[in-house]
Amino acid sequence: NTPITFVVKTADGVDVSANATVFDKTHDFTQVTNPFTPTEDGEYKFYAVVGDAISNDIKVTVTPTVPALPEDTDAANTSFTHRILLVDHTGTNCGYCPQMMKALKEIEENEDFHGKYYEAMSHSYSNTDPAFSGAAASISSHYGLQGYPTLTYNFYHPTSSSYNAEHIKGQINALWKESADAGIAASTNLAAKSVVVNAEVKAAVDGEYSITAWLLEDGIYAKQTNATEEWMNTHDNAIRQRVSSDDISGVDLGTLAAGETKSTALTLNIVGNKWNRDNLKVMVIVSAKNEKGKFEVANVAICPMNDVVTYDYK
């Protein structure tokens, strides 16, 4: 929604913009006005024609508007609800995966546990799975899986689990804190080809922090191998995209003192047209550098699309 003005010059520098016709090569060579106001995000290619002369292409990247952060109504507070990151590495073609689904459902329905974590489903078992994505495969690769299903905790926690509900509960209790080391506030804007996330971290303890975001989709219907109940054929929290970064932890925010905040805008690209835009949401993950120099998950938040999530104070 920001106007683009094209200036067209001859090789010797004469401005011929008034006589130039500009075309959008990306969208079926459509003639555009000058100035031109884009209404969708994405990458555009333009060229100009003057008489029988045609210019080289120019590339313009149009980004979505960064949404405003929600107001922090308790700026002095650094006591945050803590949530662990659980990643279920799974697939609709995986014969044992319904056992993990059943264990996680049991834990979710337990009042002592369902508020202590957020889960993401990494459908990486087979690329024929409708919930499979390249981002899920990349995330599962980070954990170095030995088999499916496997449940992993945070980013570098050494213990993983198969489908033993009591073992999973024990791991959650071992990792959960009465108050998180950091809090998260965020807002999202769903555009034509991407989601932009404005995310802010508030430190509760001094440390070096990092932040990332994953795009999740709910309600993907696909028949689950060896499903014993109908609900197992509907797949929620499926990882569709992650912030592009060499490190799983995302963007290094630097050192923050207790009570200090830092925000950044993150972009999640939408691939193709098979994702249900009405069922998308964003998982925001903040990490803190541990004694081994690794960014380990400090807290997790879920932000609905075109909405905000405020600091979750205790």
mmCIF file of all heavy atoms in Angstrom, residues 204-246:
data_model
loop_
_atom_site.group_PDB
_atom_site.id
_atom_site.type_symbol
_atom_site.label_atom_id
_atom_site.label_comp_id
_atom_site.label_asym_id
_atom_site.label_seq_id
_atom_site.Cartn_x
_atom_site.Cartn_y
_atom_site.Cartn_z
ATOM 1 N N ALA A 204 13.119 -11.824 32.199
ATOM 2 C CA ALA A 204 12.916 -11.887 33.647
ATOM 3 C C ALA A 204 14.244 -12.070 34.367
ATOM 4 O O ALA A 204 14.375 -11.734 35.539
ATOM 5 C CB ALA A 204 11.964 -13.026 34.005
ATOM 6 N N VAL A 205 15.221 -12.630 33.652
ATOM 7 C CA VAL A 205 16.574 -12.783 34.183
ATOM 8 C C VAL A 205 17.562 -12.288 33.129
ATOM 9 O O VAL A 205 17.282 -12.333 31.927
ATOM 10 C CB VAL A 205 16.880 -14.247 34.564
ATOM 11 C CG1 VAL A 205 15.962 -14.742 35.665
ATOM 12 C CG2 VAL A 205 16.776 -15.168 33.358
ATOM 13 N N ASP A 206 18.719 -11.819 33.573
ATOM 14 C CA ASP A 206 19.753 -11.386 32.641
ATOM 15 C C ASP A 206 20.170 -12.559 31.751
ATOM 16 O O ASP A 206 20.311 -13.694 32.223
ATOM 17 C CB ASP A 206 20.992 -10.882 33.387
ATOM 18 C CG ASP A 206 20.701 -9.672 34.276
ATOM 19 O OD1 ASP A 206 19.580 -9.134 34.176
ATOM 20 O OD2 ASP A 206 21.586 -9.271 35.049
ATOM 21 N N GLY A 207 20.387 -12.275 30.466
ATOM 22 C CA GLY A 207 20.840 -13.344 29.591
ATOM 23 C C GLY A 207 20.868 -12.925 28.144
ATOM 24 O O GLY A 207 20.461 -11.814 27.783
ATOM 25 N N GLU A 208 21.384 -13.829 27.307
ATOM 26 C CA GLU A 208 21.395 -13.610 25.861
ATOM 27 C C GLU A 208 20.227 -14.384 25.263
ATOM 28 O O GLU A 208 20.096 -15.596 25.493
ATOM 29 C CB GLU A 208 22.717 -14.078 25.251
ATOM 30 C CG GLU A 208 22.856 -13.708 23.777
ATOM 31 C CD GLU A 208 24.217 -14.058 23.204
ATOM 32 O OE1 GLU A 208 25.141 -14.335 23.998
ATOM 33 O OE2 GLU A 208 24.348 -14.054 21.968
ATOM 34 N N TYR A 209 19.399 -13.680 24.488
ATOM 35 C CA TYR A 209 18.146 -14.267 24.029
ATOM 36 C C TYR A 209 18.072 -14.339 22.507
ATOM 37 O O TYR A 209 18.747 -13.591 21.786
ATOM 38 C CB TYR A 209 16.959 -13.455 24.563
ATOM 39 C CG TYR A 209 16.764 -13.615 26.054
ATOM 40 C CD1 TYR A 209 17.380 -12.752 26.958
ATOM 41 C CD2 TYR A 209 15.971 -14.645 26.567
ATOM 42 C CE1 TYR A 209 17.211 -12.900 28.329
ATOM 43 C CE2 TYR A 209 15.795 -14.806 27.933
ATOM 44 C CZ TYR A 209 16.418 -13.929 28.809
ATOM 45 O OH TYR A 209 16.249 -14.090 30.167
ATOM 46 N N SER A 210 17.222 -15.242 22.045
ATOM 47 C CA SER A 210 16.972 -15.421 20.622
ATOM 48 C C SER A 210 15.478 -15.673 20.441
ATOM 49 O O SER A 210 14.791 -16.104 21.369
ATOM 50 C CB SER A 210 17.778 -16.617 20.113
ATOM 51 O OG SER A 210 17.694 -16.730 18.707
ATOM 52 N N ILE A 211 14.980 -15.406 19.229
ATOM 53 C CA ILE A 211 13.537 -15.580 18.997
ATOM 54 C C ILE A 211 13.296 -16.127 17.598
ATOM 55 O O ILE A 211 14.021 -15.824 16.645
ATOM 56 C CB ILE A 211 12.779 -14.248 19.195
ATOM 57 C CG1 ILE A 211 11.275 -14.484 19.293
ATOM 58 C CG2 ILE A 211 13.115 -13.234 18.091
ATOM 59 C CD1 ILE A 211 10.502 -13.295 19.818
ATOM 60 N N THR A 212 12.275 -16.967 17.489
ATOM 61 C CA THR A 212 11.865 -17.494 16.200
ATOM 62 C C THR A 212 10.348 -17.638 16.192
ATOM 63 O O THR A 212 9.684 -17.440 17.210
ATOM 64 C CB THR A 212 12.552 -18.832 15.883
ATOM 65 O OG1 THR A 212 12.345 -19.152 14.507
ATOM 66 C CG2 THR A 212 12.017 -19.953 16.754
ATOM 67 N N ALA A 213 9.806 -18.001 15.023
ATOM 68 C CA ALA A 213 8.359 -18.218 14.889
ATOM 69 C C ALA A 213 8.124 -19.363 13.923
ATOM 70 O O ALA A 213 8.837 -19.514 12.924
ATOM 71 C CB ALA A 213 7.655 -16.954 14.403
ATOM 72 N N TRP A 214 7.116 -20.170 14.244
ATOM 73 C CA TRP A 214 6.669 -21.258 13.373
ATOM 74 C C TRP A 214 5.217 -21.011 13.000
ATOM 75 O O TRP A 214 4.412 -20.596 13.831
ATOM 76 C CB TRP A 214 6.776 -22.610 14.079
ATOM 77 C CG TRP A 214 8.176 -23.025 14.439
ATOM 78 C CD1 TRP A 214 9.333 -22.393 14.107
ATOM 79 C CD2 TRP A 214 8.556 -24.178 15.214
ATOM 80 N NE1 TRP A 214 10.416 -23.076 14.618
ATOM 81 C CE2 TRP A 214 9.971 -24.172 15.303
ATOM 82 C CE3 TRP A 214 7.837 -25.199 15.830
ATOM 83 C CZ2 TRP A 214 10.677 -25.156 16.001
ATOM 84 C CZ3 TRP A 214 8.541 -26.176 16.517
ATOM 85 C CH2 TRP A 214 9.946 -26.165 16.597
ATOM 86 N N LEU A 215 4.891 -21.279 11.743
ATOM 87 C CA LEU A 215 3.511 -21.178 11.270
ATOM 88 C C LEU A 215 2.860 -22.552 11.395
ATOM 89 O O LEU A 215 3.375 -23.552 10.868
ATOM 90 C CB LEU A 215 3.493 -20.708 9.816
ATOM 91 C CG LEU A 215 2.136 -20.367 9.200
ATOM 92 C CD1 LEU A 215 1.493 -19.192 9.922
ATOM 93 C CD2 LEU A 215 2.295 -20.057 7.708
ATOM 94 N N LEU A 216 1.741 -22.610 12.118
ATOM 95 C CA LEU A 216 1.037 -23.866 12.361
ATOM 96 C C LEU A 216 -0.336 -23.840 11.700
ATOM 97 O O LEU A 216 -0.960 -22.783 11.590
ATOM 98 C CB LEU A 216 0.859 -24.107 13.863
ATOM 99 C CG LEU A 216 2.102 -24.025 14.759
ATOM 100 C CD1 LEU A 216 1.718 -24.348 16.203
ATOM 101 C CD2 LEU A 216 3.214 -24.938 14.278
ATOM 102 N N GLU A 217 -0.801 -25.019 11.297
ATOM 103 C CA GLU A 217 -2.147 -25.141 10.716
ATOM 104 C C GLU A 217 -2.945 -26.193 11.480
ATOM 105 O O GLU A 217 -2.443 -27.281 11.774
ATOM 106 C CB GLU A 217 -2.076 -25.522 9.238
ATOM 107 C CG GLU A 217 -3.455 -25.585 8.571
ATOM 108 C CD GLU A 217 -3.416 -25.938 7.097
ATOM 109 O OE1 GLU A 217 -2.323 -25.866 6.493
ATOM 110 O OE2 GLU A 217 -4.474 -26.305 6.550
ATOM 111 N N ASP A 218 -4.193 -25.861 11.778
ATOM 112 C CA ASP A 218 -5.122 -26.781 12.420
ATOM 113 C C ASP A 218 -6.055 -27.405 11.375
ATOM 114 O O ASP A 218 -6.186 -26.901 10.249
ATOM 115 C CB ASP A 218 -5.980 -26.055 13.461
ATOM 116 C CG ASP A 218 -5.193 -25.634 14.686
ATOM 117 O OD1 ASP A 218 -4.165 -26.268 14.974
ATOM 118 O OD2 ASP A 218 -5.614 -24.670 15.351
ATOM 119 N N GLY A 219 -6.733 -28.479 11.778
ATOM 120 C CA GLY A 219 -7.846 -29.012 10.999
ATOM 121 C C GLY A 219 -7.495 -29.658 9.687
ATOM 122 O O GLY A 219 -8.328 -29.683 8.768
ATOM 123 N N ILE A 220 -6.295 -30.220 9.549
ATOM 124 C CA ILE A 220 -5.928 -30.920 8.309
ATOM 125 C C ILE A 220 -6.515 -32.337 8.374
ATOM 126 O O ILE A 220 -6.136 -33.131 9.232
ATOM 127 C CB ILE A 220 -4.401 -30.983 8.138
ATOM 128 C CG1 ILE A 220 -3.806 -29.572 8.104
ATOM 129 C CG2 ILE A 220 -4.032 -31.748 6.865
ATOM 130 C CD1 ILE A 220 -2.296 -29.538 8.163
ATOM 131 N N TYR A 221 -7.429 -32.635 7.472
ATOM 132 C CA TYR A 221 -8.056 -33.966 7.487
ATOM 133 C C TYR A 221 -7.281 -34.902 6.576
ATOM 134 O O TYR A 221 -7.115 -34.652 5.378
ATOM 135 C CB TYR A 221 -9.518 -33.909 7.050
ATOM 136 C CG TYR A 221 -10.208 -35.249 7.243
ATOM 137 C CD1 TYR A 221 -10.720 -35.614 8.485
ATOM 138 C CD2 TYR A 221 -10.293 -36.158 6.191
ATOM 139 C CE1 TYR A 221 -11.317 -36.857 8.680
ATOM 140 C CE2 TYR A 221 -10.891 -37.395 6.383
ATOM 141 C CZ TYR A 221 -11.399 -37.738 7.626
ATOM 142 O OH TYR A 221 -11.982 -38.967 7.827
ATOM 143 N N ALA A 222 -6.783 -35.979 7.160
ATOM 144 C CA ALA A 222 -6.071 -37.006 6.398
ATOM 145 C C ALA A 222 -6.148 -38.305 7.188
ATOM 146 O O ALA A 222 -5.904 -38.318 8.396
ATOM 147 C CB ALA A 222 -4.619 -36.599 6.167
ATOM 148 N N LYS A 223 -6.470 -39.379 6.516
ATOM 149 C CA LYS A 223 -6.605 -40.672 7.177
ATOM 150 C C LYS A 223 -5.283 -41.083 7.826
ATOM 151 O O LYS A 223 -4.236 -41.079 7.179
ATOM 152 C CB LYS A 223 -7.046 -41.745 6.177
ATOM 153 C CG LYS A 223 -8.506 -41.629 5.757
ATOM 154 C CD LYS A 223 -9.438 -42.027 6.902
ATOM 155 C CE LYS A 223 -10.890 -42.081 6.448
ATOM 156 N NZ LYS A 223 -11.790 -42.467 7.557
ATOM 157 N N GLN A 224 -5.355 -41.396 9.100
ATOM 158 C CA GLN A 224 -4.181 -41.812 9.868
ATOM 159 C C GLN A 224 -4.080 -43.338 9.869
ATOM 160 O O GLN A 224 -5.024 -44.031 10.247
ATOM 161 C CB GLN A 224 -4.285 -41.286 11.303
ATOM 162 C CG GLN A 224 -3.188 -41.755 12.230
ATOM 163 C CD GLN A 224 -1.834 -41.194 11.866
ATOM 164 O OE1 GLN A 224 -1.690 -39.991 11.671
ATOM 165 N NE2 GLN A 224 -0.842 -42.062 11.759
ATOM 166 N N THR A 225 -2.934 -43.836 9.442
ATOM 167 C CA THR A 225 -2.703 -45.276 9.499
ATOM 168 C C THR A 225 -2.873 -45.798 10.926
ATOM 169 O O THR A 225 -2.362 -45.201 11.875
ATOM 170 C CB THR A 225 -1.282 -45.601 8.993
ATOM 171 O OG1 THR A 225 -1.157 -45.173 7.641
ATOM 172 C CG2 THR A 225 -1.000 -47.096 9.077
ATOM 173 N N ASN A 226 -3.620 -46.874 11.068
ATOM 174 C CA ASN A 226 -3.875 -47.536 12.357
ATOM 175 C C ASN A 226 -4.636 -46.651 13.348
ATOM 176 O O ASN A 226 -4.541 -46.868 14.566
ATOM 177 C CB ASN A 226 -2.573 -48.027 13.002
ATOM 178 C CG ASN A 226 -1.971 -49.197 12.245
ATOM 179 O OD1 ASN A 226 -2.643 -49.858 11.466
ATOM 180 N ND2 ASN A 226 -0.686 -49.458 12.475
ATOM 181 N N ALA A 227 -5.391 -45.685 12.842
ATOM 182 C CA ALA A 227 -6.230 -44.874 13.732
ATOM 183 C C ALA A 227 -7.281 -45.761 14.379
ATOM 184 O O ALA A 227 -7.896 -46.607 13.723
ATOM 185 C CB ALA A 227 -6.898 -43.749 12.951
ATOM 186 N N THR A 228 -7.470 -45.567 15.669
ATOM 187 C CA THR A 228 -8.473 -46.344 16.394
ATOM 188 C C THR A 228 -9.734 -45.543 16.680
ATOM 189 O O THR A 228 -10.757 -46.104 17.066
ATOM 190 C CB THR A 228 -7.896 -46.861 17.721
ATOM 191 O OG1 THR A 228 -7.426 -45.744 18.485
ATOM 192 C CG2 THR A 228 -6.742 -47.822 17.466
ATOM 193 N N GLU A 229 -9.643 -44.201 16.492
ATOM 194 C CA GLU A 229 -10.789 -43.325 16.704
ATOM 195 C C GLU A 229 -10.799 -42.262 15.616
ATOM 196 O O GLU A 229 -9.737 -41.871 15.091
ATOM 197 C CB GLU A 229 -10.732 -42.667 18.088
ATOM 198 C CG GLU A 229 -10.754 -43.674 19.240
ATOM 199 C CD GLU A 229 -10.693 -42.993 20.598
ATOM 200 O OE1 GLU A 229 -11.602 -42.193 20.894
ATOM 201 O OE2 GLU A 229 -9.729 -43.240 21.332
ATOM 202 N N GLU A 230 -11.992 -41.744 15.285
ATOM 203 C CA GLU A 230 -12.129 -40.817 14.175
ATOM 204 C C GLU A 230 -11.333 -39.532 14.387
ATOM 205 O O GLU A 230 -10.797 -38.962 13.429
ATOM 206 C CB GLU A 230 -13.608 -40.498 13.938
ATOM 207 C CG GLU A 230 -13.876 -39.468 12.833
ATOM 208 C CD GLU A 230 -13.299 -39.861 11.479
ATOM 209 O OE1 GLU A 230 -13.205 -41.072 11.181
ATOM 210 O OE2 GLU A 230 -12.928 -38.947 10.720
ATOM 211 N N TRP A 231 -11.240 -39.040 15.622
ATOM 212 C CA TRP A 231 -10.530 -37.784 15.865
ATOM 213 C C TRP A 231 -9.071 -37.849 15.435
ATOM 214 O O TRP A 231 -8.449 -36.820 15.145
ATOM 215 C CB TRP A 231 -10.620 -37.371 17.340
ATOM 216 C CG TRP A 231 -9.944 -38.300 18.313
ATOM 217 C CD1 TRP A 231 -10.526 -39.309 19.013
ATOM 218 C CD2 TRP A 231 -8.570 -38.310 18.702
ATOM 219 N NE1 TRP A 231 -9.616 -39.956 19.809
ATOM 220 C CE2 TRP A 231 -8.397 -39.361 19.638
ATOM 221 C CE3 TRP A 231 -7.467 -37.526 18.360
ATOM 222 C CZ2 TRP A 231 -7.159 -39.646 20.226
ATOM 223 C CZ3 TRP A 231 -6.232 -37.815 18.938
ATOM 224 C CH2 TRP A 231 -6.086 -38.857 19.859
ATOM 225 N N MET A 232 -8.502 -39.041 15.333
ATOM 226 C CA MET A 232 -7.099 -39.186 14.937
ATOM 227 C C MET A 232 -6.856 -38.835 13.469
ATOM 228 O O MET A 232 -5.706 -38.673 13.046
ATOM 229 C CB MET A 232 -6.620 -40.615 15.206
ATOM 230 C CG MET A 232 -6.530 -40.968 16.676
ATOM 231 S SD MET A 232 -5.972 -42.677 16.926
ATOM 232 C CE MET A 232 -5.793 -42.703 18.711
ATOM 233 N N ASN A 233 -7.921 -38.681 12.690
ATOM 234 C CA ASN A 233 -7.791 -38.329 11.270
ATOM 235 C C ASN A 233 -7.770 -36.818 11.029
ATOM 236 O O ASN A 233 -7.614 -36.387 9.888
ATOM 237 C CB ASN A 233 -8.931 -38.961 10.473
ATOM 238 C CG ASN A 233 -8.897 -40.475 10.525
ATOM 239 O OD1 ASN A 233 -7.840 -41.083 10.408
ATOM 240 N ND2 ASN A 233 -10.061 -41.094 10.724
ATOM 241 N N THR A 234 -7.934 -36.037 12.087
ATOM 242 C CA THR A 234 -7.853 -34.576 11.961
ATOM 243 C C THR A 234 -6.602 -34.118 12.704
ATOM 244 O O THR A 234 -6.435 -34.391 13.887
ATOM 245 C CB THR A 234 -9.102 -33.905 12.542
ATOM 246 O OG1 THR A 234 -10.249 -34.354 11.822
ATOM 247 C CG2 THR A 234 -8.999 -32.380 12.400
ATOM 248 N N HIS A 235 -5.746 -33.395 11.997
ATOM 249 C CA HIS A 235 -4.404 -33.086 12.504
ATOM 250 C C HIS A 235 -4.269 -31.582 12.754
ATOM 251 O O HIS A 235 -4.437 -30.772 11.835
ATOM 252 C CB HIS A 235 -3.360 -33.574 11.512
ATOM 253 C CG HIS A 235 -3.538 -35.024 11.162
ATOM 254 N ND1 HIS A 235 -3.043 -36.049 11.936
ATOM 255 C CD2 HIS A 235 -4.220 -35.616 10.137
ATOM 256 C CE1 HIS A 235 -3.378 -37.211 11.401
ATOM 257 N NE2 HIS A 235 -4.101 -36.978 10.305
ATOM 258 N N ASP A 236 -3.985 -31.250 14.008
ATOM 259 C CA ASP A 236 -3.828 -29.854 14.425
ATOM 260 C C ASP A 236 -2.351 -29.551 14.704
ATOM 261 O O ASP A 236 -1.524 -30.452 14.858
ATOM 262 C CB ASP A 236 -4.644 -29.585 15.693
ATOM 263 C CG ASP A 236 -6.139 -29.709 15.462
ATOM 264 O OD1 ASP A 236 -6.588 -29.429 14.334
ATOM 265 O OD2 ASP A 236 -6.856 -30.104 16.403
ATOM 266 N N ASN A 237 -2.059 -28.260 14.785
ATOM 267 C CA ASN A 237 -0.716 -27.785 15.156
ATOM 268 C C ASN A 237 0.373 -28.288 14.217
ATOM 269 O O ASN A 237 1.535 -28.457 14.620
ATOM 270 C CB ASN A 237 -0.369 -28.180 16.599
ATOM 271 C CG ASN A 237 -1.353 -27.638 17.604
ATOM 272 O OD1 ASN A 237 -1.709 -26.470 17.564
ATOM 273 N ND2 ASN A 237 -1.816 -28.495 18.509
ATOM 274 N N ALA A 238 0.020 -28.531 12.961
ATOM 275 C CA ALA A 238 1.003 -29.027 11.991
ATOM 276 C C ALA A 238 1.937 -27.897 11.556
ATOM 277 O O ALA A 238 1.482 -26.826 11.168
ATOM 278 C CB ALA A 238 0.295 -29.611 10.773
ATOM 279 N N ILE A 239 3.227 -28.152 11.611
ATOM 280 C CA ILE A 239 4.219 -27.128 11.233
ATOM 281 C C ILE A 239 4.201 -26.947 9.724
ATOM 282 O O ILE A 239 4.438 -27.890 8.961
ATOM 283 C CB ILE A 239 5.623 -27.532 11.699
ATOM 284 C CG1 ILE A 239 5.681 -27.669 13.226
ATOM 285 C CG2 ILE A 239 6.656 -26.523 11.214
ATOM 286 C CD1 ILE A 239 6.956 -28.303 13.745
ATOM 287 N N ARG A 240 3.930 -25.719 9.282
ATOM 288 C CA ARG A 240 3.912 -25.393 7.860
ATOM 289 C C ARG A 240 5.135 -24.581 7.425
ATOM 290 O O ARG A 240 5.623 -24.727 6.312
ATOM 291 C CB ARG A 240 2.640 -24.609 7.525
ATOM 292 C CG ARG A 240 1.372 -25.432 7.496
ATOM 293 C CD ARG A 240 1.493 -26.634 6.606
ATOM 294 N NE ARG A 240 0.194 -27.145 6.149
ATOM 295 C CZ ARG A 240 0.055 -28.230 5.406
ATOM 296 N NH1 ARG A 240 1.123 -28.932 5.066
ATOM 297 N NH2 ARG A 240 -1.142 -28.639 5.036
ATOM 298 N N GLN A 241 5.610 -23.725 8.313
ATOM 299 C CA GLN A 241 6.735 -22.852 7.943
ATOM 300 C C GLN A 241 7.480 -22.445 9.195
ATOM 301 O O GLN A 241 6.922 -22.462 10.297
ATOM 302 C CB GLN A 241 6.226 -21.604 7.194
ATOM 303 C CG GLN A 241 7.292 -20.729 6.569
ATOM 304 C CD GLN A 241 8.158 -21.464 5.567
ATOM 305 O OE1 GLN A 241 9.077 -22.175 5.959
ATOM 306 N NE2 GLN A 241 7.871 -21.284 4.287
ATOM 307 N N ARG A 242 8.743 -22.079 9.051
ATOM 308 C CA ARG A 242 9.528 -21.529 10.144
ATOM 309 C C ARG A 242 10.318 -20.349 9.631
ATOM 310 O O ARG A 242 10.539 -20.211 8.420
ATOM 311 C CB ARG A 242 10.461 -22.580 10.754
ATOM 312 C CG ARG A 242 11.669 -22.957 9.908
ATOM 313 C CD ARG A 242 12.492 -24.023 10.612
ATOM 314 N NE ARG A 242 13.725 -24.350 9.908
ATOM 315 C CZ ARG A 242 14.929 -23.901 10.259
ATOM 316 N NH1 ARG A 242 15.066 -23.089 11.286
ATOM 317 N NH2 ARG A 242 16.004 -24.257 9.582
ATOM 318 N N VAL A 243 10.732 -19.488 10.536
ATOM 319 C CA VAL A 243 11.562 -18.345 10.157
ATOM 320 C C VAL A 243 12.855 -18.869 9.554
ATOM 321 O O VAL A 243 13.500 -19.771 10.104
ATOM 322 C CB VAL A 243 11.855 -17.457 11.381
ATOM 323 C CG1 VAL A 243 12.921 -16.428 11.072
ATOM 324 C CG2 VAL A 243 10.579 -16.767 11.837
ATOM 325 N N SER A 244 13.225 -18.329 8.400
ATOM 326 C CA SER A 244 14.444 -18.766 7.728
ATOM 327 C C SER A 244 15.654 -18.378 8.560
ATOM 328 O O SER A 244 15.897 -17.209 8.834
ATOM 329 C CB SER A 244 14.533 -18.121 6.343
ATOM 330 O OG SER A 244 15.723 -18.496 5.696
ATOM 331 N N SER A 245 16.412 -19.385 8.986
ATOM 332 C CA SER A 245 17.582 -19.147 9.827
ATOM 333 C C SER A 245 18.433 -20.399 9.835
ATOM 334 O O SER A 245 17.919 -21.508 9.792
ATOM 335 C CB SER A 245 17.159 -18.795 11.258
ATOM 336 O OG SER A 245 18.274 -18.764 12.121
ATOM 337 N N ASP A 246 19.752 -20.231 9.878
ATOM 338 C CA ASP A 246 20.632 -21.392 9.964
ATOM 339 C C ASP A 246 20.457 -22.110 11.298
ATOM 340 O O ASP A 246 20.624 -23.326 11.388
ATOM 341 C CB ASP A 246 22.099 -20.967 9.802
ATOM 342 C CG ASP A 246 22.399 -20.474 8.394
ATOM 343 O OD1 ASP A 246 21.665 -20.870 7.461
ATOM 344 O OD2 ASP A 246 23.355 -19.700 8.218
#
